Amino acid sequence: MSVKAEEIQSKILSSLDKTNGIPNTAKDSYFKSLDIEQVENVLKSLSSRNMVAYKRLEEEVWDLTKEGQEIAENGSHEVRVFNFIPTGEEGIPLAEVQKNFGKIAAIGQGKAFKNKWIKKNGSNLVRLVDSVEDQVQKSLIILQETHASSDKAALKELKSRKLVEPKKLVSFQIEKGPEFSLEVKKQATDLTLEMLQSGEWKSLEFKKYNFDAEGIPTAGGHLHPLLKVREEFRQIFFEMGFEEMPSNCFVDSSFWNFDTLYVPQQHPARDLQDTFFIKDPATCGPLPDFIDKVKQAHESGVDGSIGYRYDWSEAEAKKLVLRTHTTAVSGLMLNRLSKVKPFRPAKYFSIDRVYRNEAVDATHLAEFHQVEGVIADKNMTLGHLISFMDIFFKKMGITNLRFKPAYNPYTEPSLEIFSWHEGFQKWVEIGNSGMFRPEMLIPLGLDPDVRVAGWGLSLERPTMIKYGIDNIRALVGHKVDLSMIKSNPSCRLDKKMGREVFGIQEEAEVTASS
C-alpha cells in the first residue's frame, strides 16, 4: 500500500514517543502493509536530521507460489480427487475424474495412489480409506500467516512440489535519535544572498551534505559513426603500406591550397562563393623559397608546357583560406619528399576535414571529410593507378569498376571512378583520381622522372549509407541525436559493406577535383 510520506513520518515519531523504540516493523500491522522502499526513504530523511536511528533487518522467509495459494484456498489436488470419489465398491470412472479436474487430475491421482488413499478397480477409482486429512493445505495456511515452518519434512515436500519459494523479508529496528522531536522542521538547502544580508541564516537549520555520496554514474565515451568508418579506411591504408600525413593545418595559404596545385588564380574555386577566406589575419607571412618556380609554371609553363599565360600575383597567393581539400597537405609532403636524397618511393594518405562555401541541405555541409591517397614513384603510369584502384576498392567489397576521363587542374590524365549498382542497374560515381601534372610536381622539387598518382572520395556519404542516415545534418552538427551515437555498432568495410556504401550512391562527394 502506498501512503503519503508525511503520514509514515508522523506514525514513526508518535510510536517512538510512546514506546521509546520499535523492535521490528515486521511485527507491526501498520508497517506490514506499507511499501518497504517508501518506509526506508522516510527513515533516511529522519536519520539525516539525527531524529531517529534505525537498523535494517533482513530475514529469509517462505512465501506461497500461485499454485500454493490456490491449494491453501481450495485444498490439495490429492484430497480434492479423493473427496470426488464416492464411497462404496463401485467408485467412479477414471475418465470422469480427468474430465472434472483437467490438468491436476494426474497429480491428484498420483499423490492419492502414493498415500494409499485410493486404488484402481478396472477403469474405475475406488477409495481405500473413509476419510483423509489435508496436511498440505494446513502447512500452506501456516506458512501464509507466519512465513515459517517448524516441520522440516513438510517444508521439504512443499519445496519439491514448488508450492513455496524463498523470499527476503526486510524490516527495520527504530530508536530515538539525539535530536528526536515530534515536529519536523523544514531545512534550508542553499545559503542565499538574502539570508546573509538579513542575518536569517543564523536561525535556520540547514540540510547536511552527504560528501560520501557517489552521485549519478557518468556515461562512458562513444565513438561517432564517422570515426568508426574513418578507422576502417585507415586500417585499409595501413594494410597497404601507406603513411598517414599530418593534416591538422585547417587554415592554409592560397599558395599551398591552390597555387602549388597548379590551380590558376582566376579559377572559380578561388571565388568567395566557393571558398572561405580568413578576415583577420587576411594573409600569411613569407612564402617558401620555390615561389619563383610556381610563378613560372603558372605564367609560362615548365617541362615543355606553356602555362596559363597570365601575370601571377604573390599577394593573391598569400591570402589565407580554410582549406578546400587535403591535397594541400599532399603538396607539402611531396615537397618534403623531394629533399630526401636519394629519392625513395612513398605512399601517403589523409582523412580529415575540409571546408567549402556550400549551401547547406540534406546532402551538403560547409565542412566535410576527404579521404585522400597519393603514391610517388619513378616511371609510374596510368596503368599502375588503375591497378591500384582495383585493389583498393576490392578491400571494400567493390569489384566492378569503370574509369571515365575527366578534367582536374592538377592531374592529367584524370579519371572519374564508377561502380556498377545492381539495384539501379546503372554505373554510379564513387570517386576521382589522376596523375599529378609536371607543372605541379617540378616546382615542388621532384625530379622529372618521378610520377605521382592521387585519388579521393568522401567519408560522410559511405557513413550515411552504412548507418541508414538520409540527412547529413543528423550526422554532423547541432542536430545530431546522441542516442544514435551510443547505440550504433562499429561498421566493417567488407564485401557486403561495399555494396551498401557505394551501391546506392547517386552522387559521390568528389574531393579530388577543384
Side-chain angles (χ1 to χ4, degrees):
M1 182 177 72
S2 179
V3 297
K4 290 185 177 180
E6 291 80 4
E7 182 184 326
I8 301 174
Q9 185 175 269
S10 177
K11 176 66 176 178
I12 292 173
L13 295 177
S14 60
S15 297
L16 288 175
D17 189 49
K18 295 174 184 176
T19 61
N20 284 332
I22 304 174
N24 193 336
T25 55
K27 298 179 180 179
D28 189 302
S29 59
Y30 175 80
F31 291 105
K32 283 176 69 176
S33 63
L34 298 178
D35 178 63
I36 291 297
E37 188 175 345
Q38 192 177 17
V39 174
E40 188 165 21
N41 287 338
V42 172
L43 288 172
K44 285 180 179 179
S45 176
L46 293 174
S47 176
S48 68
R49 301 166 183 259
N50 292 325
M51 294 180 66
V52 303
Y54 74 96
K55 182 180 179 182
R56 184 184 174 98
L57 306 174
E58 293 184 0
E59 180 185 3
E60 189 178 75
V61 297
W62 293 96
D63 209 5
L64 273 60
T65 62
K66 185 178 180 181
E67 185 181 1
Q69 292 171 359
E70 292 175 357
I71 292 177
E73 184 177 349
N74 303 317
S76 65
H77 306 323
E78 55 267 36
V79 171
R80 290 174 64 190
V81 168
F82 176 84
N83 290 336
F84 187 71
I85 300 172
T87 57
E89 295 182 359
E90 292 185 4
I92 192 172
L94 180 60
E96 196 70 27
V97 175
Q98 293 173 342
K99 180 180 178 181
N100 188 75
F101 291 100
K103 293 181 179 179
I104 68 170
I107 301 174
Q109 291 167 206
K111 293 292 182 183
F113 279 130
K114 183 178 179 181
N115 294 338
K116 297 183 179 180
W117 294 348
I118 63 174
K119 71 174 183 178
K120 193 174 182 183
N121 185 12
S123 61
N124 286 10
L125 294 177
V126 296
R127 292 188 180 188
L128 290 177
V129 294
D130 294 330
S131 62
V132 296
E133 184 179 3
D134 199 341
Q135 190 61 47
V136 173
Q137 185 183 32
K138 288 183 178 179
S139 298
L140 287 172
I141 291 173
I142 293 172
L143 271 173
Q144 197 172 36
E145 295 174 350
T146 64
H147 296 286
S149 174
S150 57
D151 190 340
K152 293 184 178 180
L155 181 60
K156 184 178 180 181
E157 170 71 11
L158 297 177
K159 287 164 59 181
S160 67
R161 293 180 63 172
K162 296 183 179 180
L163 301 178
V164 296
E165 58 187 0
K167 179 183 178 182
K168 185 181 286 185
L169 181 66
V170 178
S171 58
F172 304 98
Q173 176 186 334
I174 313 173
E175 298 175 350
K176 288 182 178 179
E179 304 293 332
F180 177 79
S181 172
L182 289 175
E183 180 186 0
V184 181
K185 295 181 180 179
K186 186 176 180 180
Q187 291 179 318
T189 57
D190 296 304
L191 183 63
T192 65
L193 176 63
E194 290 75 14
M195 291 178 187
L196 292 172
Q197 290 175 336
S198 64
E200 182 188 8
W201 64 274
K202 297 178 182 178
S203 58
L204 289 176
E205 182 180 342
F206 286 89
K207 185 176 182 179
K208 292 182 179 179
Y209 284 94
N210 182 7
F211 293 103
D212 296 325
E214 294 182 353
I216 301 173
T218 57
H222 299 272
L223 287 177
H224 191 283
L226 275 175
L227 296 179
K228 296 174 184 176
V229 178
R230 177 180 181 270
E231 185 58 27
E232 288 295 321
F233 274 112
R234 290 181 76 242
Q235 294 307 316
I236 289 175
F237 278 115
F238 287 138
E239 181 184 332
M240 300 183 74
F242 279 74
E243 175 186 346
E244 190 166 17
M245 294 183 278
S247 55
N248 56 350
C249 183
F250 300 102
V251 174
D252 213 335
S253 66
S254 293
F255 180 78
W256 283 109
N257 195 78
F258 295 118
D259 293 275
T260 58
L261 306 183
Y262 199 56
V263 178
Q265 293 183 339
Q266 301 86 2
H267 196 282
R270 301 176 73 147
D271 293 339
L272 286 172
Q273 63 264 28
D274 289 323
T275 301
F276 291 109
F277 286 85
I278 305 301
K279 185 176 181 179
D280 186 18
T283 58
C284 67
L287 295 177
D289 55 8
F290 60 92
I291 178 176
D292 290 337
K293 294 180 180 179
V294 172
K295 179 180 180 180
Q296 178 189 345
H298 281 253
E299 291 184 343
S300 58
V302 295
D303 195 32
S305 71
I306 62 174
Y308 290 119
R309 302 292 184 90
Y310 72 94
D311 292 331
W312 184 83
S313 169
E314 182 176 344
E316 185 70 27
K318 284 189 172 183
K319 290 182 179 179
L320 289 175
V321 298
L322 285 177
R323 68 178 180 207
T324 61
H325 45 197
T326 53
T327 315
V329 183
S330 300
L332 175 64
M333 294 300 293
L334 292 173
N335 177 244
R336 292 179 180 177
L337 179 64
S338 70
K339 298 175 183 177
V340 177
K341 303 298 181 184
F343 171 81
R344 63 170 180 83
K347 292 191 284 189
Y348 300 124
F349 83 93
S350 66
I351 308 173
D352 215 329
R353 292 189 181 230
V354 296
Y355 306 87
R356 307 272 178 90
N357 195 358
E358 298 264 13
V360 176
D361 56 30
T363 58
H364 296 84
L365 287 178
E367 57 177 311
F368 55 92
H369 289 76
Q370 178 177 325
V371 180
E372 176 167 344
V374 296
I375 303 176
D377 201 352
K378 291 187 176 182
N379 302 316
M380 280 190 64
T381 67
L382 187 64
H384 291 110
L385 172 62
I386 293 175
S387 176
F388 179 82
M389 290 292 98
D390 283 331
I391 298 172
F392 178 79
F393 284 103
K394 187 179 292 184
K395 289 183 177 292
M396 290 179 281
I398 305 169
T399 57
N400 200 355
L401 296 179
R402 271 187 181 178
F403 301 90
K404 174 185 174 183
Y407 169 76
N408 296 319
Y410 47 90
T411 58
E412 178 59 37
S414 304
L415 298 174
E416 291 175 348
I417 309 166
F418 288 79
S419 174
W420 176 253
H421 181 278
E422 292 292 345
F424 291 151
Q425 288 293 300
K426 69 176 184 179
W427 296 91
V428 292
E429 186 180 348
I430 61 174
N432 204 304
S433 64
M435 303 295 294
F436 286 163
R437 298 175 68 113
E439 292 93 335
M440 170 187 165
L441 299 179
I442 292 176
L444 288 175
L446 292 169
D447 294 335
D449 60 346
V450 173
R451 301 286 183 265
V452 180
W455 74 99
L457 58 149
S458 77
L459 182 65
E460 278 74 11
R461 287 289 176 85
T463 305
M464 288 172 64
I465 297 170
K466 172 62 184 176
Y467 288 97
I469 299 170
D470 58 6
N471 190 329
I472 195 171
R473 289 168 289 191
L475 183 67
V476 181
H478 64 283
K479 293 185 179 180
V480 171
D481 182 6
L482 293 180
S483 63
M484 176 272 293
I485 296 176
K486 295 177 181 178
S487 61
N488 272 316
S490 295
C491 86
R492 297 306 302 270
L493 298 178
D494 53 16
K495 188 171 183 179
K496 181 180 178 183
M497 166 66 182
R499 291 196 299 272
E500 288 177 352
V501 170
F502 297 104
I504 61 173
Q505 184 172 345
E506 281 282 16
E507 300 176 13
E509 192 86 56
V510 181
T511 58
S513 63
S514 296

